[in-house]
Amino acid sequence: MSLLPTPDEMRARARADLRLGLPVVLGCGADQALVLAAEGAAPERVGALVDVASGAGAYLAITARRAETLKARAYDGDMARLRLPAEGAAAWAAATADPARDLATPMKGPFNALRGAEGCPEVARAGIRLAKEARLLPAVLVAPLIGEAPAGLTRITDTPSGELAPFAEAVSARLPMHLAGAGRLHVFRPGDGREEHYVVEVGRPDRDGPVLTRLHSACFTGDVLGSLKCDCGPQLHAALEAMGAAGGGLLLYLNQEGRGIGLANKMRAYSLQDQGFDTVEANHRLGFEDDERDFRIGAALLGKMGVGQVRLMTNNPAKIAMMEARGIKVVERVPLKVGLTPQNEAYLATKAAKSGHLL
């Protein structure tokens, strides 16, 4: 095996660089550009990025969801590429990317949007995808390069296949639990350096029959703090209790906080909800889709646990569809209707009306 980093390892390095506020070099065919996350971009780095682009013209790339909020033209379909202003580019980019600033800076246009092949659209698209992977706001500053990129920056030239990286079990250990009784916690790591995910094995599930299973997305606010804004904590506890009573089950704890947008962006969505937007509208204003989670991970972990058929504890038909599509037979859907509060009543109604949850 070579000592040099693989493409997946370079991508992991690029995600870390974006979170640090460093630009990365992205290539697509003959085109390459410097890409810098708009979130947390230092004014000095934005200025240097603009200088590097010189005549090529730097711009801000945002998703079509965010562009719709700003009434900017998304000529590329899934995104809009907006020319930077001559002055105050860093402050303008931050305000354009972050909806928390919409009330403070309501007049941002008119926007000068790029179209066609101008300005490396595929590189911009790859940059937005990378920012999402880094759990940052999906908005990036792009500076097309004419000559060589500055030395020392992380460079990515490949396009992800879209397939999941393989998972390996790092460790497992016995774990007695208050709600579920005897159990075992398995820690799985993906080969691309992204988040670990966990499988809580309750009792001794019979792999020959359908296993009582729950795919539970991490919710720090609900699972740990007992938030009343969602039903996640009660669902987690009810699933563990049911598995303990049944004598066995698998709870997959997937690190996909905030429907896959990360805790910081989830808190941004909460702030927007305080302004009167529902949970789906808040995600869209941030530039995300309704749900950014990848339920293929659940199917992959079930395969690692030797499970081919399940009784799935869920109210979400999308989970059932993905399990079936990935070869996991859902013998029965077990409803999990707990945790309704006056504070989350509107949230749950939105999930039912706009996201198809069976509530």
Short mmCIF file of all heavy atoms in Angstrom, two decimals, residues 219-276:
data_model
loop_
_atom_site.label_atom_id
_atom_site.label_comp_id
_atom_site.label_asym_id
_atom_site.label_seq_id
_atom_site.Cartn_x
_atom_site.Cartn_y
_atom_site.Cartn_z
N CYS A 219 -29.67 12.97 17.86
CA CYS A 219 -30.34 14.23 18.18
C CYS A 219 -29.83 14.67 19.55
O CYS A 219 -30.37 14.26 20.58
CB CYS A 219 -31.85 14.07 18.17
SG CYS A 219 -32.74 15.59 18.62
N PHE A 220 -28.80 15.48 19.57
CA PHE A 220 -28.21 15.91 20.84
C PHE A 220 -29.24 16.61 21.71
O PHE A 220 -29.34 16.37 22.91
CB PHE A 220 -27.02 16.84 20.57
CG PHE A 220 -26.43 17.45 21.80
CD1 PHE A 220 -25.66 16.71 22.67
CD2 PHE A 220 -26.66 18.79 22.10
CE1 PHE A 220 -25.12 17.27 23.82
CE2 PHE A 220 -26.14 19.37 23.24
CZ PHE A 220 -25.37 18.61 24.11
N THR A 221 -30.03 17.48 21.09
CA THR A 221 -30.99 18.26 21.87
C THR A 221 -32.09 17.38 22.45
O THR A 221 -32.51 17.57 23.59
CB THR A 221 -31.61 19.37 21.00
OG1 THR A 221 -32.10 18.79 19.79
CG2 THR A 221 -30.59 20.44 20.68
N GLY A 222 -32.57 16.42 21.68
CA GLY A 222 -33.65 15.56 22.16
C GLY A 222 -33.18 14.38 22.98
O GLY A 222 -33.73 14.09 24.05
N ASP A 223 -32.14 13.69 22.51
CA ASP A 223 -31.66 12.48 23.17
C ASP A 223 -30.95 12.78 24.48
O ASP A 223 -31.05 12.03 25.45
CB ASP A 223 -30.69 11.71 22.26
CG ASP A 223 -31.34 11.26 20.97
OD1 ASP A 223 -32.58 11.23 20.90
OD2 ASP A 223 -30.60 10.93 20.01
N VAL A 224 -30.19 13.88 24.52
CA VAL A 224 -29.36 14.19 25.69
C VAL A 224 -30.01 15.25 26.58
O VAL A 224 -30.04 15.11 27.80
CB VAL A 224 -27.96 14.66 25.25
CG1 VAL A 224 -27.09 15.02 26.45
CG2 VAL A 224 -27.27 13.58 24.41
N LEU A 225 -30.52 16.32 25.96
CA LEU A 225 -31.02 17.45 26.75
C LEU A 225 -32.52 17.36 27.04
O LEU A 225 -33.05 18.19 27.78
CB LEU A 225 -30.73 18.76 26.01
CG LEU A 225 -29.25 19.04 25.72
CD1 LEU A 225 -29.10 20.37 25.00
CD2 LEU A 225 -28.42 19.04 27.00
N GLY A 226 -33.20 16.40 26.42
CA GLY A 226 -34.63 16.27 26.66
C GLY A 226 -35.46 17.38 26.05
O GLY A 226 -36.48 17.80 26.60
N SER A 227 -35.04 17.86 24.87
CA SER A 227 -35.76 18.94 24.20
C SER A 227 -37.21 18.56 23.97
O SER A 227 -37.54 17.43 23.62
CB SER A 227 -35.09 19.23 22.85
OG SER A 227 -35.91 20.07 22.06
N LEU A 228 -38.09 19.55 24.13
CA LEU A 228 -39.51 19.36 23.88
C LEU A 228 -39.90 19.78 22.46
O LEU A 228 -41.07 19.69 22.10
CB LEU A 228 -40.33 20.17 24.90
CG LEU A 228 -40.10 19.81 26.37
CD1 LEU A 228 -40.90 20.74 27.27
CD2 LEU A 228 -40.45 18.36 26.64
N LYS A 229 -38.93 20.24 21.66
CA LYS A 229 -39.21 20.69 20.30
C LYS A 229 -39.33 19.54 19.32
O LYS A 229 -39.72 19.73 18.17
CB LYS A 229 -38.12 21.67 19.83
CG LYS A 229 -38.22 23.05 20.47
CD LYS A 229 -37.07 23.95 20.02
CE LYS A 229 -37.12 24.28 18.55
NZ LYS A 229 -38.24 25.17 18.21
N CYS A 230 -38.92 18.33 19.72
CA CYS A 230 -38.99 17.16 18.83
C CYS A 230 -39.43 15.95 19.65
O CYS A 230 -39.60 16.04 20.86
CB CYS A 230 -37.64 16.91 18.14
SG CYS A 230 -36.33 16.42 19.29
N ASP A 231 -39.58 14.82 18.98
CA ASP A 231 -39.98 13.58 19.66
C ASP A 231 -38.85 12.56 19.69
O ASP A 231 -39.08 11.38 19.97
CB ASP A 231 -41.21 12.98 18.99
CG ASP A 231 -41.01 12.72 17.49
OD1 ASP A 231 -40.04 13.24 16.92
OD2 ASP A 231 -41.84 12.01 16.90
N CYS A 232 -37.61 13.00 19.43
CA CYS A 232 -36.49 12.06 19.26
C CYS A 232 -36.14 11.32 20.55
O CYS A 232 -35.95 10.10 20.54
CB CYS A 232 -35.27 12.81 18.74
SG CYS A 232 -35.54 13.63 17.16
N GLY A 233 -36.03 12.05 21.66
CA GLY A 233 -35.68 11.40 22.92
C GLY A 233 -36.70 10.34 23.31
O GLY A 233 -36.32 9.19 23.60
N PRO A 234 -37.99 10.66 23.33
CA PRO A 234 -38.99 9.63 23.65
C PRO A 234 -38.95 8.45 22.68
O PRO A 234 -39.17 7.30 23.09
CB PRO A 234 -40.31 10.39 23.55
CG PRO A 234 -39.96 11.80 23.90
CD PRO A 234 -38.60 12.02 23.30
N GLN A 235 -38.70 8.70 21.38
CA GLN A 235 -38.61 7.59 20.43
C GLN A 235 -37.42 6.68 20.76
O GLN A 235 -37.54 5.45 20.71
CB GLN A 235 -38.48 8.13 19.01
CG GLN A 235 -39.76 8.68 18.43
CD GLN A 235 -39.63 9.01 16.96
OE1 GLN A 235 -38.57 9.44 16.49
NE2 GLN A 235 -40.70 8.83 16.20
N LEU A 236 -36.29 7.27 21.09
CA LEU A 236 -35.09 6.50 21.44
C LEU A 236 -35.39 5.61 22.65
O LEU A 236 -35.10 4.40 22.64
CB LEU A 236 -33.93 7.45 21.73
CG LEU A 236 -32.66 6.82 22.30
CD1 LEU A 236 -32.02 5.88 21.29
CD2 LEU A 236 -31.66 7.91 22.71
N HIS A 237 -35.96 6.21 23.69
CA HIS A 237 -36.22 5.46 24.92
C HIS A 237 -37.28 4.39 24.71
O HIS A 237 -37.13 3.26 25.21
CB HIS A 237 -36.64 6.43 26.01
CG HIS A 237 -35.59 7.45 26.34
ND1 HIS A 237 -35.87 8.67 26.90
CD2 HIS A 237 -34.24 7.42 26.16
CE1 HIS A 237 -34.75 9.36 27.05
NE2 HIS A 237 -33.76 8.62 26.60
N ALA A 238 -38.33 4.71 23.96
CA ALA A 238 -39.38 3.73 23.71
C ALA A 238 -38.86 2.54 22.92
O ALA A 238 -39.25 1.39 23.17
CB ALA A 238 -40.55 4.39 22.98
N ALA A 239 -37.98 2.81 21.94
CA ALA A 239 -37.42 1.72 21.13
C ALA A 239 -36.56 0.79 21.99
O ALA A 239 -36.67 -0.44 21.89
CB ALA A 239 -36.60 2.30 19.98
N LEU A 240 -35.73 1.36 22.86
CA LEU A 240 -34.89 0.53 23.72
C LEU A 240 -35.74 -0.29 24.68
O LEU A 240 -35.46 -1.48 24.91
CB LEU A 240 -33.92 1.42 24.50
CG LEU A 240 -32.76 2.03 23.69
CD1 LEU A 240 -31.99 3.03 24.53
CD2 LEU A 240 -31.82 0.95 23.17
N GLU A 241 -36.78 0.32 25.24
CA GLU A 241 -37.66 -0.42 26.15
C GLU A 241 -38.35 -1.57 25.43
O GLU A 241 -38.46 -2.69 25.97
CB GLU A 241 -38.70 0.53 26.75
CG GLU A 241 -38.14 1.46 27.81
CD GLU A 241 -39.21 2.36 28.39
OE1 GLU A 241 -40.15 2.74 27.65
OE2 GLU A 241 -39.10 2.69 29.58
N ALA A 242 -38.82 -1.32 24.20
CA ALA A 242 -39.52 -2.36 23.44
C ALA A 242 -38.57 -3.51 23.11
O ALA A 242 -38.96 -4.69 23.17
CB ALA A 242 -40.10 -1.77 22.16
N MET A 243 -37.33 -3.18 22.77
CA MET A 243 -36.36 -4.23 22.45
C MET A 243 -36.01 -5.04 23.69
O MET A 243 -35.85 -6.27 23.63
CB MET A 243 -35.10 -3.61 21.84
CG MET A 243 -35.33 -3.03 20.46
SD MET A 243 -33.89 -2.13 19.83
CE MET A 243 -34.58 -1.39 18.34
N GLY A 244 -35.90 -4.37 24.84
CA GLY A 244 -35.64 -5.09 26.09
C GLY A 244 -36.78 -6.02 26.43
O GLY A 244 -36.56 -7.18 26.82
N ALA A 245 -38.02 -5.55 26.25
CA ALA A 245 -39.19 -6.38 26.55
C ALA A 245 -39.29 -7.57 25.60
O ALA A 245 -39.74 -8.65 25.99
CB ALA A 245 -40.45 -5.52 26.46
N ALA A 246 -38.86 -7.37 24.34
CA ALA A 246 -38.93 -8.44 23.34
C ALA A 246 -37.78 -9.44 23.48
O ALA A 246 -37.80 -10.48 22.82
CB ALA A 246 -38.92 -7.83 21.93
N GLY A 247 -36.78 -9.11 24.27
CA GLY A 247 -35.65 -10.00 24.45
C GLY A 247 -34.54 -9.82 23.44
O GLY A 247 -33.55 -10.55 23.46
N GLY A 248 -34.71 -8.87 22.54
CA GLY A 248 -33.64 -8.64 21.56
C GLY A 248 -34.03 -7.59 20.54
O GLY A 248 -35.23 -7.35 20.29
N GLY A 249 -33.05 -6.98 19.94
CA GLY A 249 -33.29 -5.99 18.90
C GLY A 249 -32.01 -5.24 18.57
O GLY A 249 -30.97 -5.42 19.23
N LEU A 250 -32.08 -4.43 17.53
CA LEU A 250 -30.93 -3.63 17.11
C LEU A 250 -31.37 -2.18 16.97
O LEU A 250 -32.32 -1.88 16.24
CB LEU A 250 -30.37 -4.12 15.76
CG LEU A 250 -29.73 -5.50 15.72
CD1 LEU A 250 -29.34 -5.84 14.28
CD2 LEU A 250 -28.51 -5.57 16.62
N LEU A 251 -30.68 -1.29 17.66
CA LEU A 251 -30.90 0.14 17.49
C LEU A 251 -29.66 0.73 16.83
O LEU A 251 -28.57 0.70 17.40
CB LEU A 251 -31.17 0.83 18.82
CG LEU A 251 -31.58 2.30 18.68
CD1 LEU A 251 -32.72 2.65 19.64
CD2 LEU A 251 -30.41 3.25 18.91
N LEU A 252 -29.85 1.20 15.60
CA LEU A 252 -28.75 1.81 14.86
C LEU A 252 -28.76 3.31 15.16
O LEU A 252 -29.72 4.01 14.84
CB LEU A 252 -28.91 1.59 13.35
CG LEU A 252 -28.49 0.22 12.81
CD1 LEU A 252 -29.28 -0.91 13.46
CD2 LEU A 252 -28.66 0.17 11.30
N TYR A 253 -27.70 3.78 15.81
CA TYR A 253 -27.60 5.20 16.17
C TYR A 253 -26.70 5.86 15.14
O TYR A 253 -25.48 5.72 15.16
CB TYR A 253 -27.03 5.34 17.58
CG TYR A 253 -27.29 6.71 18.19
CD1 TYR A 253 -28.49 6.97 18.85
CD2 TYR A 253 -26.35 7.73 18.10
CE1 TYR A 253 -28.74 8.21 19.41
CE2 TYR A 253 -26.60 8.97 18.66
CZ TYR A 253 -27.79 9.21 19.32
OH TYR A 253 -28.04 10.44 19.86
N LEU A 254 -27.36 6.57 14.20
CA LEU A 254 -26.66 7.14 13.04
C LEU A 254 -26.32 8.60 13.30
O LEU A 254 -27.20 9.40 13.62
CB LEU A 254 -27.53 7.00 11.79
CG LEU A 254 -28.07 5.59 11.51
CD1 LEU A 254 -28.96 5.60 10.27
CD2 LEU A 254 -26.93 4.60 11.36
N ASN A 255 -25.06 8.95 13.15
CA ASN A 255 -24.62 10.32 13.41
C ASN A 255 -24.96 11.23 12.23
O ASN A 255 -24.09 11.67 11.48
CB ASN A 255 -23.12 10.34 13.71
CG ASN A 255 -22.84 10.00 15.16
OD1 ASN A 255 -23.47 10.55 16.07
ND2 ASN A 255 -21.93 9.08 15.39
N GLN A 256 -26.27 11.51 12.11
CA GLN A 256 -26.79 12.38 11.05
C GLN A 256 -27.70 13.43 11.70
O GLN A 256 -28.89 13.49 11.42
CB GLN A 256 -27.54 11.56 10.00
CG GLN A 256 -26.67 10.49 9.35
CD GLN A 256 -27.32 9.83 8.15
OE1 GLN A 256 -26.95 10.08 7.01
NE2 GLN A 256 -28.30 8.98 8.39
N GLU A 257 -27.09 14.21 12.58
CA GLU A 257 -27.82 15.21 13.37
C GLU A 257 -28.59 16.18 12.48
O GLU A 257 -28.12 16.58 11.41
CB GLU A 257 -26.81 15.99 14.22
CG GLU A 257 -27.40 17.05 15.10
CD GLU A 257 -27.89 16.53 16.43
OE1 GLU A 257 -27.22 15.66 17.02
OE2 GLU A 257 -28.94 17.01 16.89
N GLY A 258 -29.79 16.55 12.95
CA GLY A 258 -30.55 17.57 12.24
C GLY A 258 -30.97 17.14 10.84
O GLY A 258 -30.92 17.94 9.91
N ARG A 259 -31.37 15.88 10.69
CA ARG A 259 -31.71 15.34 9.36
C ARG A 259 -30.54 15.49 8.39
O ARG A 259 -30.71 15.78 7.21
CB ARG A 259 -32.99 15.97 8.81
CG ARG A 259 -34.22 15.66 9.62
CD ARG A 259 -35.51 15.76 8.82
NE ARG A 259 -35.80 17.12 8.41
CZ ARG A 259 -36.47 18.00 9.15
NH1 ARG A 259 -36.89 17.68 10.35
NH2 ARG A 259 -36.72 19.21 8.69
N GLY A 260 -29.32 15.32 8.93
CA GLY A 260 -28.14 15.26 8.07
C GLY A 260 -27.45 16.58 7.80
O GLY A 260 -26.55 16.63 6.97
N ILE A 261 -27.81 17.66 8.53
CA ILE A 261 -27.18 18.95 8.25
C ILE A 261 -26.20 19.36 9.36
O ILE A 261 -25.52 20.38 9.23
CB ILE A 261 -28.22 20.07 8.03
CG1 ILE A 261 -29.03 20.36 9.29
CG2 ILE A 261 -29.14 19.69 6.87
CD1 ILE A 261 -30.02 21.52 9.13
N GLY A 262 -26.14 18.60 10.45
CA GLY A 262 -25.23 18.91 11.53
C GLY A 262 -25.88 19.79 12.59
O GLY A 262 -26.86 20.49 12.33
N LEU A 263 -25.30 19.77 13.79
CA LEU A 263 -25.91 20.46 14.92
C LEU A 263 -25.91 21.98 14.74
O LEU A 263 -26.91 22.65 15.08
CB LEU A 263 -25.18 20.09 16.22
CG LEU A 263 -25.74 20.68 17.50
CD1 LEU A 263 -27.20 20.29 17.70
CD2 LEU A 263 -24.91 20.26 18.71
N ALA A 264 -24.83 22.55 14.22
CA ALA A 264 -24.79 24.01 14.06
C ALA A 264 -25.89 24.48 13.10
O ALA A 264 -26.61 25.45 13.39
CB ALA A 264 -23.42 24.45 13.55
N ASN A 265 -26.03 23.79 11.98
CA ASN A 265 -27.08 24.17 11.03
C ASN A 265 -28.48 23.88 11.59
O ASN A 265 -29.44 24.59 11.30
CB ASN A 265 -26.88 23.44 9.70
CG ASN A 265 -25.70 24.01 8.93
OD1 ASN A 265 -25.50 25.22 8.90
ND2 ASN A 265 -24.92 23.14 8.31
N LYS A 266 -28.59 22.83 12.39
CA LYS A 266 -29.87 22.56 13.04
C LYS A 266 -30.26 23.71 13.97
O LYS A 266 -31.44 24.12 14.01
CB LYS A 266 -29.77 21.24 13.82
CG LYS A 266 -30.98 20.90 14.68
CD LYS A 266 -30.72 19.58 15.39
CE LYS A 266 -31.70 19.32 16.49
NZ LYS A 266 -31.42 18.04 17.18
N MET A 267 -29.29 24.26 14.69
CA MET A 267 -29.58 25.40 15.57
C MET A 267 -29.94 26.63 14.73
O MET A 267 -30.78 27.45 15.14
CB MET A 267 -28.39 25.68 16.48
CG MET A 267 -28.15 24.63 17.55
SD MET A 267 -29.56 24.44 18.70
CE MET A 267 -30.40 23.02 17.98
N ARG A 268 -29.33 26.77 13.57
CA ARG A 268 -29.74 27.86 12.67
C ARG A 268 -31.20 27.67 12.24
O ARG A 268 -31.96 28.63 12.15
CB ARG A 268 -28.82 27.89 11.45
CG ARG A 268 -27.39 28.33 11.74
CD ARG A 268 -26.60 28.49 10.45
NE ARG A 268 -25.27 29.03 10.71
CZ ARG A 268 -24.14 28.33 10.69
NH1 ARG A 268 -24.18 27.05 10.37
NH2 ARG A 268 -22.99 28.90 10.97
N ALA A 269 -31.56 26.41 11.97
CA ALA A 269 -32.95 26.14 11.59
C ALA A 269 -33.90 26.45 12.75
O ALA A 269 -34.99 26.99 12.53
CB ALA A 269 -33.10 24.68 11.15
N TYR A 270 -33.50 26.13 13.97
CA TYR A 270 -34.31 26.45 15.14
C TYR A 270 -34.52 27.96 15.24
O TYR A 270 -35.61 28.43 15.58
CB TYR A 270 -33.65 25.92 16.41
CG TYR A 270 -33.96 24.47 16.74
CD1 TYR A 270 -34.47 23.61 15.77
CD2 TYR A 270 -33.73 23.96 18.01
CE1 TYR A 270 -34.74 22.30 16.07
CE2 TYR A 270 -34.00 22.64 18.32
CZ TYR A 270 -34.50 21.81 17.35
OH TYR A 270 -34.78 20.51 17.64
N SER A 271 -33.45 28.71 14.98
CA SER A 271 -33.55 30.17 15.04
C SER A 271 -34.55 30.68 14.01
O SER A 271 -35.35 31.60 14.29
CB SER A 271 -32.17 30.80 14.80
OG SER A 271 -32.24 32.21 14.79
N LEU A 272 -34.54 30.08 12.82
CA LEU A 272 -35.50 30.48 11.78
C LEU A 272 -36.92 30.08 12.17
O LEU A 272 -37.88 30.80 11.87
CB LEU A 272 -35.11 29.85 10.45
CG LEU A 272 -33.81 30.38 9.82
CD1 LEU A 272 -33.42 29.53 8.61
CD2 LEU A 272 -33.97 31.83 9.42
N GLN A 273 -37.05 28.93 12.85
CA GLN A 273 -38.38 28.53 13.32
C GLN A 273 -38.92 29.54 14.33
O GLN A 273 -40.13 29.80 14.38
CB GLN A 273 -38.32 27.13 13.93
CG GLN A 273 -38.11 26.03 12.89
CD GLN A 273 -37.83 24.68 13.52
OE1 GLN A 273 -38.41 24.33 14.54
NE2 GLN A 273 -36.93 23.92 12.93
N ASP A 274 -38.03 30.13 15.12
CA ASP A 274 -38.46 31.16 16.07
C ASP A 274 -38.98 32.40 15.34
O ASP A 274 -39.72 33.20 15.93
CB ASP A 274 -37.30 31.56 16.99
CG ASP A 274 -36.97 30.47 18.01
OD1 ASP A 274 -37.83 29.60 18.25
OD2 ASP A 274 -35.85 30.50 18.56
N GLN A 275 -38.60 32.55 14.06
CA GLN A 275 -39.09 33.68 13.27
C GLN A 275 -40.41 33.35 12.57
O GLN A 275 -40.97 34.19 11.87
CB GLN A 275 -38.05 34.08 12.22
CG GLN A 275 -36.73 34.59 12.80
CD GLN A 275 -35.70 34.88 11.72
OE1 GLN A 275 -36.04 35.17 10.58
NE2 GLN A 275 -34.43 34.79 12.08
N GLY A 276 -40.88 32.10 12.72
CA GLY A 276 -42.17 31.74 12.17
C GLY A 276 -42.15 30.75 11.02
O GLY A 276 -43.21 30.37 10.51
#
